[in-house]
Each structure stands twice: as C-alpha cells, then as structure tokens.
Amino acid sequence: MKDKNHGVTVAPGAGFCPGVKKAIDCVLRLEASGKKPIYTIGPLIHNKQVTDMLGEKGISSIDKLEEAKDKNGVLVIRAHGITPEFQKEVESQGMEVVDSTCPLVKKVHNVIDEYAKQGYYTVIVGDGGHAEVIGLLGYTRGKGYVIANAEEAEKLPHFDKVNIVSQTTQKEETFFKAAEAVKKKADICQVNNTICQPTKQRQKETLELAKNADLVIVVGGKHSANTARLAKLCGELCPKVLHVENEEEIRKEDVLPPEHIFITAGASTPNWVIDNVSARVKDLRKEASSLFGMLAKLWDFAVKSSLYTSFAAACLTYVCMKLSGAHNDLKLYLLSLLFVFTLTLANKTPQDMPSKAKRGFLIPVVLGGVLAFLTALNYGVWVWLPTLVFLILGAGAYPFRSKITLFSRLPGTKDIVTALGWCFVCIYTPAASQGLLMSKSAWLAFTYGLLLVFIRSVILSIGSERKDIMLGKESFYKAFGLNATKAAIGIIIIALTAVLIQLLIMGWKSGLAFMLLLGQIYTIAIAVYFYTKKTPRTTLSETFIDGQFLVLAVLTYLAVKLF
C-alpha cells in the first residue's frame, strides 16, 4: 500500500503474518466457546498491545506450568512452538492442550527430525535464546548447534554430515553466508532454507523501499526478534531508523526534516498499530495552516467518532419512511441518529477508537443515550420503552458479549444484532409511531433495511479483520469463512434486486423502486470491491461503505420530487 501523502510510504506486506493470525484466532475461538481460563505458554506473540487485549479477555501468559492453577483451564502452545520433551510434559498435566504452533515452524520441526533420524547433525542459523530456536533444538536428538552468523560457524567442529536450517524469521543474506561457512566444515551438507515466505516478502520490500528513504520507522515489540532484525536490516540501507512500539513514541522533530519516510513492521505487529503510527506521522508533517489538513482531520474524527455513521442511519430512516409510506418527522430522524451514534460508539473496539475518545468516550455515549431516550418520549410506550431497553442492552450488555452464553455460542451475532438495531430505529420506530406497523409496506421496508445493514456490517467486519483487529465468531465472516460470506451476500443482493424489479413491474411506487434499483449498483460495487481487494478498514473505506445510505437518500428524494 503506497501512501504518497506527505512523503510517507507504508510497506505493502506489513501486519500480522499467517502464523500469528492462526494463533490469535485459536485463542479467540477458545475464549468465545467459554473455555476459561486460557493459559498461553509464554507470550502468544511479542506485541504488548495485543497481549494486553488478550489479557482483558482472560487469556494470560505463563512461564512455568505450575502457574496454571486452574486445572479446568486450557493450555495453548504459542506460535513459536516448543520441544517434543516439553510437549510431553505439557500433555501430562491433565489439562486440555491446544497447539497453535505456526505451520511453517512445524515444517522446520519435520525437516530437522527427518535428517536427525538419519544421523545428521543440525546447525540452526538463528538467535540462541529465542523461543522458536529452543523448540527447534528439541528435534535435533541432542546433535544440534545454533549460530548467529558466518563468523560463529568458524567455531563449529567438523561434521561427517550436517543439515543446515534457519530460524523462520532470519535475514536471508545472513543465512546463506552462514551456510557457506558451515559447508567447509562438513563432508556431506544439506542446506534447507526454512525462512518463511512472509519474512522473505517483508525483507524484499524493505530492500526495495528503505534504500530510497530518508527515515525508516519500524513498528513492533521491542522484544520481537524479527522486528529487531528488520530494524537492523533497515539500518544498513537508510541513514536514520526508528524502532517504535506505538504512535506515542513518534516526535515532531523526528519526522519533519526527512523528505521520504518508509514505515514497515514486524510479523507480530497488527495493522491497526501501523495505521496509528502512519496517521501520527502524517499529522505531524501537515502544515498547521493547511486547509486540506484541517478538513482531513475533521473528517477522520467524524468517521471514527461515529458521527458519520449516525448520519448515514438518519438517511436510511428517510429511505425506509418513504418506502413504508410514513410522513416526515424530524424528531424521528434525530432519534435514529442519536440511537445509532450511542450504540456504535459504545461498541467501538479499542483499535477503532480515536485516542481522545478512549479517555472520555463514556461521556458522549451516556449523553447520546439520554438524548435518544428523551426524543423517544415524544412517542408512545411502544417506542420509548423498547428504545430504553435496546439502549441499555446495546450499550451495556453487548460489549461483554463474550461473557454471555447466547452471544458466545451463536455465530454471526454481532452483524445480525447490528442490523436488527438499525431496523428498530430506522423502520420500526417510524411505523409504530404512525400506526403503520402491520402494513405490508412497513414489512417490506424492514426487510430491505435489515438486509442492507447486514451487508454493511459484514463488509466492515472483513475490513476490520484485514486490519488485524481481533474478531471472534460473533462476526459472520469469522464464523463462516470468506467463501460462505461471499455466497450469502451474493444471494442477498440478488434477492433485493429481484424484489425491486418486481415492484417496478407491478407499478407499486415504481419511481422509488427504480431509484432504489439504481442504488443497488452502488451496493454491488462496494461488495465486489471489498471482497476482491484486500482492503483494510480505514476512514476512506468507511466513508464509501456508509456512503451507500447517503446515495440512497438522494435517490429517494429525487424519486419523491420527480415521480
């Protein structure tokens, strides 16, 4: 992903590697299933922001098996893997054991084991004290050596036959130089380049982009070996390198002089942390008097604070009111705006939320909820009572859904509940307040709105996952997978299109049906784009996704005026 704004380029392959994603998905599935406590043997990954979030979910790291006090809990083997001997000890504890070792690390285990059975010595090029390397040594059958570079190879004894492998996150140049040095000390030498593909891709990007930068910012944990190695590689290519864990470490004096800045990250760094660093760098480089810069900041705040989403909900209310035959009522638009604002902000993940909102988001949540309830009081008990109940449940219970059996057991609940919440305030409330609740038009509007919001929620979930935001099976996409999600959304879009065509043929509100049919083009375009492009959730993507409701409102207005 190239970002030419303000001279900042972000590495295309930055973010979680597949092994890290697999490990995090593993513990999230366990947590969602109600299995607690969950112990990971050592930190799941070397990233403080992620381990802190896992800790909040009851997923804790232990260094010794004795620290797992609750024998009803689950022991998780982390992505780095462990020795076969330690694995037997883990399995002897009588606890449930889940192995989340990276498949690519497992592959190295198998390579070492295969040659060790044939009597080969093993030389591992890597960091001696690293968790992965300790695990690899366990498969050498007591005939293993660890070297960091070619210089250390000089101290090795002579081998009759030796197998050379690499730590999966090793620098490729270092591995090949070390392998050449080991070859001179062996009669038979087998070289296996076991550096994983994501690491090779990251290193290739770094070589191409870092050499043309005036400053490289490497984002990742200070205890992450692959991040530290990446920073060292950048130091050989660029005059200035910063290794930071988060955006708070970036200072104005660091980023103003350089003309070209390249941002990359270790395999254990989530995309949302990289995005925060990128945003911080660009903000610091913007001129304070720049009108464009000020407008961009304001728009970013509008989207991240849920103001834009709540306005989109008001637009959907207008569309569905015209579809159901309800007459205009400004208080109903205000109610939908406040209701969606409150619940969307209350359920923002820490990764989504702006820094300022993290400190005081309860104030706008409570204020929005109170104003929404006061607005609902203008209508009957069948409006204000469910409004109060849904606000309490949505803003109070839903953030703790992992502790509630219903939410933790049923897949896709987040997207379904979100769609139902929008439909309540955008369609049910106007219909109930105007005596249209049992009309066919109201039910048509409810179905139309429900399916549209469900599509929106699912697309945003896919973008969130691509941003490395931790999602559980409450997300439809995470519960059923990409192919099933594509199929479901495709069927929904076809069904919506067919219904609108049928209304057009029947002559029932044909002008409105025609305009909404045009609006389907926008919805289809969004779905196709975000399914085919690996686009993470950003301010721009949210602008386009929620923009469909603004487009539909404009088309509805034109239908009212023209037909």
Side-chain angles (χ1 to χ4, degrees):
M1 169 178 79
K2 263 198 172 181
D3 186 350
K4 296 182 180 179
N5 291 331
H6 312 288
V8 178
T9 302
V10 180
F16 283 156
C17 69
V20 169
K21 280 182 181 285
K22 176 181 176 290
I24 289 175
D25 284 346
C26 172
V27 293
L28 289 179
R29 280 196 302 270
L30 289 170
E31 188 264 346
S33 68
K35 293 184 178 181
K36 291 182 181 178
I38 299 168
Y39 303 104
T40 66
I41 304 169
L44 191 67
I45 61 171
H46 292 137
N47 183 275
K48 187 176 183 303
Q49 293 97 327
V50 175
T51 52
D52 285 350
M53 288 181 181
L54 293 174
E56 291 171 5
K57 293 176 175 288
I59 302 164
S60 56
S61 166
I62 59 171
D63 295 318
K64 299 177 181 178
L65 293 177
E66 306 87 75
E67 295 175 34
K69 303 296 183 185
D70 190 340
K71 298 305 177 183
N72 294 316
V74 183
L75 287 171
V76 178
I77 298 171
R78 59 180 172 170
H80 304 93
I82 57 177
T83 65
E85 292 78 14
F86 189 32
Q87 178 133 3
K88 289 178 183 176
E89 185 182 348
V90 169
E91 291 170 350
S92 69
Q93 298 299 303
M95 297 172 65
E96 181 180 352
V97 178
V98 176
D99 191 349
S100 68
T101 303
C102 170
L104 298 176
V105 173
K106 281 277 192 188
K107 184 178 178 181
V108 189
H109 290 172
N110 295 334
V111 169
I112 293 172
D113 190 51
E114 178 188 343
Y115 283 94
K117 286 176 182 175
Q118 301 173 40
Y120 278 72
Y121 283 86
T122 304
V123 173
I124 303 166
V125 182
D127 303 323
H130 191 271
E132 180 192 327
V133 174
I134 293 171
L136 298 181
L137 273 172
Y139 287 85
T140 65
R141 300 178 180 242
K143 299 171 71 174
Y145 294 84
V146 179
I147 60 172
N149 48 47
E151 288 71 29
E152 291 189 10
E154 300 301 325
K155 303 173 186 177
L156 293 172
H158 183 83
F159 303 108
D160 55 345
K161 51 185 181 180
V162 66
N163 172 35
I164 307 171
V165 298
S166 174
Q167 182 178 345
T168 56
T169 56
Q170 183 58 261
K171 182 182 174 184
E172 203 162 27
E173 183 184 359
T174 299
F175 171 73
F176 286 129
K177 285 182 178 179
E180 287 301 316
V182 174
K183 280 181 181 179
K184 298 174 183 177
K185 289 182 165 283
D187 298 328
I188 300 173
C189 183
Q190 177 65 41
V191 179
N192 287 290
N193 181 0
T194 53
I195 299 172
C196 70
Q197 189 57 41
T199 295
K200 291 178 183 177
Q201 181 62 34
R202 220 171 289 252
Q203 291 177 3
K204 181 181 177 183
E205 292 170 358
T206 300
L207 289 170
E208 291 174 355
L209 297 170
K211 62 186 177 184
N212 296 318
D214 304 305
L215 167 66
V216 175
I217 300 175
V218 182
V219 189
K222 295 294 173 64
H223 300 293
S224 168
N226 75 83
T227 307
R229 194 173 289 111
L230 200 60
K232 184 178 179 182
L233 174 60
C234 292
E236 298 169 3
L237 302 167
C238 179
K240 186 177 180 183
V241 177
L242 289 179
H243 180 180
V244 301
E245 287 194 347
N246 55 54
E247 73 275 14
E248 294 175 3
E249 298 178 46
I250 306 290
R251 300 173 302 172
K252 191 172 185 178
E253 54 266 33
D254 292 325
V255 299
L256 279 184
E259 185 178 350
H260 301 292
I261 297 177
F262 171 51
I263 299 175
T264 187
S268 57
T269 308
N271 260 306
W272 58 268
V273 173
I274 301 166
D275 288 347
N276 289 346
V277 169
S278 175
R280 169 73 172 163
V281 170
K282 287 184 282 184
D283 283 346
L284 290 174
R285 286 165 68 84
K286 288 174 185 174
E287 293 181 9
S289 59
S290 167
L291 178 61
F292 176 79
M294 291 174 63
L295 290 175
K297 274 189 173 183
L298 284 172
W299 187 249
D300 188 65
F301 175 78
V303 172
K304 290 183 177 178
S305 64
S306 302
L307 289 171
Y308 176 65
T309 298
S310 55
F311 178 70
C315 289
L316 180 62
T317 302
Y318 173 73
V319 174
C320 291
M321 283 174 70
K322 295 307 173 188
L323 197 56
S324 65
H327 59 76
N328 281 333
D329 184 336
L330 291 178
K331 291 191 292 292
L332 289 172
Y333 299 133
L334 179 63
L335 176 57
S336 62
L337 188 149
L338 291 168
F339 183 91
V340 170
F341 169 78
T342 300
L343 297 189
T344 304
L345 187 59
N347 288 285
K348 285 272 187 182
T349 65
Q351 304 100 307
D352 284 331
M353 204 175 292
S355 298
K356 292 180 181 178
K358 286 179 187 177
R359 303 184 187 99
F361 82 102
L362 278 177
I363 296 173
V365 167
V366 172
L367 183 60
V370 169
L371 290 175
F373 175 65
L374 292 176
T375 306
L377 286 175
N378 287 283
Y379 305 99
V381 66
W382 292 108
V383 171
W384 68 258
L385 182 58
T387 298
L388 178 62
V389 171
F390 291 147
L391 283 171
I392 292 172
L393 288 176
Y398 195 71
F400 305 100
R401 55 192 172 274
S402 62
K403 299 179 176 64
I404 302 173
T405 303
L406 177 64
F407 283 123
S408 63
R409 301 289 188 214
L410 295 179
T413 50
K414 181 181 178 183
D415 299 315
I416 294 168
V417 170
T418 298
L420 288 172
W422 277 53
C423 283
F424 161 74
V425 75
C426 297
I427 303 144
Y428 166 88
T429 298
S433 65
Q434 297 183 24
L436 301 170
L437 202 53
M438 301 309 296
S439 69
K440 292 180 180 179
S441 297
W443 283 101
L444 172 66
F446 189 90
T447 304
Y448 177 75
L450 179 74
L451 296 178
L452 274 184
V453 178
F454 179 76
I455 292 171
R456 166 204 177 265
S457 185
V458 170
I459 292 174
L460 286 175
S461 292
I462 293 173
S464 294
E465 199 272 342
R466 285 171 177 164
K467 197 176 178 180
D468 296 329
I469 289 176
M470 295 184 292
L471 300 175
K473 68 175 184 178
E474 73 274 6
S475 162
F476 187 92
Y477 162 62
K478 292 295 286 185
F480 298 104
L482 185 61
N483 289 334
T485 303
K486 282 181 178 179
I489 297 303
I491 291 169
I492 289 172
I493 288 175
I494 291 170
L496 281 174
T497 305
V499 169
L500 291 172
I501 291 173
Q502 184 64 28
L503 292 177
L504 192 62
I505 294 171
M506 291 169 57
W508 188 84
K509 294 191 177 181
S510 55
L512 180 57
F514 174 73
M515 286 300 187
L516 294 181
L517 199 54
L518 289 180
Q520 280 291 95
I521 297 172
Y522 189 104
T523 303
I524 293 169
I526 289 173
V528 170
Y529 180 81
F530 285 97
Y531 284 148
T532 55
K533 302 287 184 181
K534 293 186 177 180
T535 306
R537 184 171 178 172
T538 61
T539 297
L540 187 61
S541 67
E542 285 195 53
T543 299
F544 284 117
I545 292 168
D546 281 342
Q548 66 179 312
F549 301 117
L550 279 66
V551 170
L552 290 172
V554 171
L555 291 171
T556 300
Y557 177 79
L558 291 173
V560 171
K561 294 296 181 184
L562 297 176
F563 299 99

